[in-house]
């Protein structure tokens, strides 16, 4: 795993800032989150009105909450939204009642197998209300009447999402998507948000080949809304990556696109294998994060998903144990490093045509061997030139060359640059 770096510490600090905010699929918590992200990278924010038809879905009413609690007969708050936004069932309708514990139990959610943890639960599309609490807290409540208060609104408003674009040399796009709808869950998905932010900043330090579009949106409905509003331009999307669960201590996991052999699938597989990091490659399934929207059959985009431990793959998933202690600067730095390596490969992966294909061209008289004299991998670089020349038939990409030759992709790409500069190959 990557060592502690200043960048890793900065990502962790961003997660710390975002952690207390109450986020949902709509509302002021999303806007507050995007305001903070906007301090790091410029964002173009979109507001989509309630009732807007987006593919087979409809943008829901906007939910906002100010306070919520359960108080005992003495007025003591035994469950308090102010202590954690997880304590309220997401999208709870307003409530102001007094009721016996026996009646209240039907609206309480716990985790009996982890009695000290608070679960994360929602009811986005079915009007309901409820509280989430630790099983040990519930077990300690005596029978009696309790005051129940949820000061929330569910009304026509907007769904909010934001984009950040890093301009490239070509208009073809790479989508990087992360969800911004989960309250007080550090790994799912504040770590993904932080990695996306710092990846965008890293790409902006140079002029990449592709144009990179970063999407910060609520899960499912956000990606569906973006696709509905951009259906005429998705043909520009050549590759994509969904970032989630990017800060836990587990090894990296890449989930392939629906295509299974999209270029992004091959690139991530190559980078992870070449890095010798512990990792897992998984096949596509139509369950998970927003890769399933981008990979729905009507769009079938080449979009994979990169996580550390995948969704529902760790006990802390969707619980209060997914806290600031569960994520680390080192894990986020490691995830970011793989993203940077992968996009460096993606940006340089080309198909070339050998302009002197009959026999091996004389490299020495063109100064190509001399140009390699200062390299520590001179022999590898020379072999890379020969491999590039041999496979530059317009059909093989540089990634093909690297995989077939067993040479590092960077060495192969450098060789291609040198041969291109000498007029021996063309893109």
């Amino acid at each position: 795993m990557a060592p502690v770096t200043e960048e890793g510490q900065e990502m962790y600090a961003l997660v710390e800032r975002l952690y207390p905010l109450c986020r949902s699929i709509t509302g002021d918590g999303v806007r507050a989150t995007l305001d903070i992200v906007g301090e790091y990278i410029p964002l173009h924010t979109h507001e989509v009105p309630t009732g807007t038809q987006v593919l087979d879905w409809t943008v829901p009413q906007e939910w906002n909450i100010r306070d919520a609690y359960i108080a005992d007969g003495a007025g003591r708050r035994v469950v308090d939204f102010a202590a954690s936004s997880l304590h309220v069932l997401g999208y709870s309708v307003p409530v102001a009642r007094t009721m016996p514990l026996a009646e209240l139990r039907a609206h309480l959610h716990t985790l009996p197998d982890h009695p000290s943890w608070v679960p994360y639960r929602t009811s986005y599309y079915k009007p309901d209300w409820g509280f989430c609490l630790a099983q040990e807290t519930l077990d300690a409540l005596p029978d009696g009447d309790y005051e129940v208060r949820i000061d929330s609104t569910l009304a026509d408003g907007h769904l909010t999402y934001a984009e950040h674009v890093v301009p490239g040399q070509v208009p073809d796009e790479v989508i990087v998507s992360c969800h911004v709808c989960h309250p007080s869950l550090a790994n799912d998905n504040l770590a993904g948000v932080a990695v996306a932010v710092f990846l965008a900043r890293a790409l902006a330090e140079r002029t990449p080949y592709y144009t990179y579009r970063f999407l910060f949106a609520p899960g499912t409905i956000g990606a569906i809304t973006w696709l509905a509003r951009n259906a005429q331009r998705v043909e520009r999307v050549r590759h994509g990556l969904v970032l989630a669960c990017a800060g836990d201590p587990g090894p990296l996991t890449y989930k392939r696109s629906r295509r299974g052999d999209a270029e992004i699938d091959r690139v991530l597989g190559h980078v992870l294998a070449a890095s010798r990091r512990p990792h897992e490659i998984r096949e596509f399934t139509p369950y998970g994060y927003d890769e399933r929207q981008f990979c729905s059959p009507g769009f079938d985009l080449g979009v994979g998903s990169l996580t550390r431990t995948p969704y529902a793959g760790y006990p802390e998933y969707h619980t209060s144990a997914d806290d600031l202690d569960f994520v680390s600067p080192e894990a986020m730095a490691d995830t970011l490093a793989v993203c940077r390596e992968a996009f460096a490969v993606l940006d340089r992966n080309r198909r070339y045509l050998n302009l002197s294909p009959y026999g091996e061209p004389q490299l020495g008289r063109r100064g190509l061997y001399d140009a390699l004299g200062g390299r520590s991998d001179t022999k590898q670089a020379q072999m890379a030139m020969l491999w590039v020349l041999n496979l530059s038939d317009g059909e093989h990409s540089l990634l093909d060359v690297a995989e077939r030759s067993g040479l590092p992709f960077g060495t192969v790409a450098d060789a291609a640059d040198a041969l291109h500069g000498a007029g021996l190959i063309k893109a």
Side-chain angles (χ1 to χ4, degrees), residues 237-252:
V237 177
R238 295 290 177 265
H239 320 282
L241 191 64
V242 173
L243 286 174
C245 301
D248 68 81
L252 285 156

Side-chain angles (χ1 to χ4, degrees), residues 275-339:
S275 73
R276 302 188 183 277
R277 291 175 172 87
H279 69 277
E280 181 181 358
I281 304 293
R282 292 190 174 188
E283 296 301 324
F284 175 80
T285 64
Y287 180 77
Y289 291 115
D290 284 332
E291 69 279 355
R292 69 189 196 273
Q293 310 307 332
F294 297 111
C295 293
S296 55
F299 294 108
D300 194 23
L301 299 176
V303 177
S305 173
L306 183 66
T307 63
R308 301 197 73 82
T309 307
Y311 50 85
Y314 51 97
E316 298 84 355
Y317 179 77
H318 279 194
T319 77
S320 58
D322 184 356
D323 59 14
L324 293 171
D325 292 331
F326 186 61
V327 299
S328 70
E330 298 92 336
M332 285 186 279
D334 189 53
T335 306
L336 176 62
V338 167
C339 291

Side-chain angles (χ1 to χ4, degrees), residues 3 8 21 50 80 120 126 133 177 190 211 289 302 306 323 355 400:
L21 299 178
T50 296
D80 192 355
Y120 166 56
K126 177 184 176 183
L133 65 159
S177 173
L190 294 179
T211 294
Y289 291 115
L306 183 66
D323 59 14
L355 299 178
D400 293 325

Side-chain angles (χ1 to χ4, degrees), residues 169-218:
Q169 299 170 39
V170 297
D172 293 346
E173 292 187 359
V174 179
I175 293 288
V176 180
S177 173
C178 59
H179 56 276
V180 293
C181 52
H182 286 13
S184 299
L185 298 175
N187 195 44
D188 182 23
N189 188 37
L190 294 179
V193 172
V195 170
V197 167
F198 280 79
L199 178 59
R201 290 174 63 167
L203 288 168
E205 292 173 357
R206 56 185 177 84
T207 302
Y209 179 73
Y210 289 107
T211 294
Y212 286 81
R213 184 176 300 273
F214 288 77
L215 178 61
F216 301 87

